[in-house]
Amino acid sequence: MDIKENIVKLQAGIAEAARAAGRDPASVTLLAATKTQSSDTIRAAIAAGITVCGENRVQELTAHLADNAYQGAEIHFIGHLQTNKVKYVVGKVALIHSVSSDKLLRAIAAQADKLGLVQDILLEINLAGEASKSGFAPEEALAAARLAACLDGVRLRGLMCIPPAARCSGENFHHFMTLRQLAVDIRQKMVDNNRDMDMLSMGMSGDYQDAVAAGSTCVRVGSALFGPRPPVLPEG
Ligand SMILES: *Cc1c(COP(=O)(O)O)cnc(C)c1O
């Protein structure tokens, strides 16, 4: 598995989809989804040009931080986050993509207040209403955005989604367009917070070109970068 070669391919794929949609390829960040990867693999990815790493699990984030594995890259948190673990994440990452409930939103804001900082966040939206996934229902998103706007400890930067795995190209395009439209609607209905909402985290290895075509500003790519992963066990 040649990470450098994969980055070049992915950047070319991003550029192709962006140009076809009349977008600047530089407006899309390639985030490396590093779950199950070792600190050395993360270092190799950063040396090969990765500028943002996204972690799924608090345990792996903590271990890689202790290892100094992220030198030279920004760290984001993209996985399911339990309220009792926010203290391991808030202030340690530049952006939390996966804020999936009011309770978590309040806990993140409280921890940020305690540390005297403002945590950038995205709201995770469960577009297809999948019971196996976290996230706000689309119709709950505006209320969650308004709650975020009244909490000093967080700054809402946009929305994120994890649609069902795409079986073929084009399949998830409508989900990505729905997320983009939801972000536009929320921005229009919010008075104070609208300028900060400039991010759409959507697209993975199997559907990142459709996500870019629909307006993604951050594609989260794991297997197309690092190769197939062993199955991930639920966090205990
Ligand atoms: C694992 C993961 C990804 C990357 O998935 P791939 O299909 O391997 O590209 C992206 N986002 C989240 C939230 C993930 O957990």
Side-chain angles (χ1 to χ4, degrees):
M1 189 50 56
D2 185 334
I3 297 178
K4 178 75 206 179
E5 205 173 286
N6 291 341
I7 293 175
V8 170
K9 267 190 225 156
L10 286 160
Q11 292 290 16
I14 289 168
E16 180 192 48
R19 289 206 189 90
R23 304 185 55 207
D24 178 1
S27 64
V28 185
T29 300
L30 172 61
L31 173 150
T34 51
K35 60 174 172 272
T36 76
Q37 305 300 333
S38 68
S39 291
D40 280 342
T41 302
I42 292 172
R43 288 189 193 98
I46 295 168
I50 285 297
T51 57
V52 183
C53 294
E55 284 292 354
N56 269 76
R57 300 172 117 208
V58 169
Q59 237 174 310
E60 290 180 53
L61 170 71
T62 304
H64 292 149
L65 280 171
D67 265 359
N68 244 326
Y70 304 111
Q71 238 11 286
E74 210 172 84
I75 317 163
H76 292 184
F77 194 81
I78 64 174
H80 181 63
L81 182 56
Q82 289 165 280
T83 314
N84 62 348
K85 292 192 178 163
V86 297
K87 60 177 177 290
Y88 303 110
V89 178
V90 172
K92 301 197 189 292
V93 302
L95 181 69
I96 302 174
H97 292 227
S98 41
V99 179
S100 55
S101 69
D102 286 355
K103 186 179 167 212
L104 181 59
L105 186 52
R106 289 181 194 280
I108 290 169
Q111 178 65 14
D113 277 345
K114 199 167 142 189
L115 299 174
L117 54 85
V118 176
Q119 177 68 60
D120 276 3
I121 58 155
L122 305 179
L123 299 178
E124 179 175 348
I125 310 298
N126 188 349
L127 290 174
E130 292 173 275
S132 62
K133 286 181 187 160
S134 341
F136 293 95
E139 58 274 17
E140 298 170 334
L142 178 61
R146 288 191 166 135
L147 172 60
C150 355
L151 298 170
D152 290 332
V154 293
R155 179 167 56 168
L156 179 60
R157 297 298 306 275
L159 306 180
M160 176 266 214
C161 69
I162 314 174
R167 290 161 302 182
C168 56
S169 129
E171 194 172 28
N172 277 340
F173 181 70
H174 71 107
H175 284 309
F176 298 139
M177 289 301 283
T178 301
L179 194 74
R180 176 208 183 138
Q181 190 55 48
L182 187 60
V184 169
D185 291 347
I186 291 172
R187 264 198 302 265
Q188 279 169 355
K189 288 174 182 150
M190 306 256 304
V191 183
D192 300 329
N193 214 33
N194 57 358
R195 280 183 321 266
D196 293 331
M197 267 190 79
D198 56 1
M199 302 183 73
L200 282 174
S201 168
M202 54 189 197
M204 307 183 7
S205 293
D207 55 16
Y208 74 94
Q209 285 195 305
D210 286 331
V212 170
S216 175
T217 66
C218 179
V219 293
R220 310 175 311 268
V221 178
S223 43
L225 195 58
F226 298 113
R229 310 175 277 278
V232 182
L233 300 170
E235 189 159 14

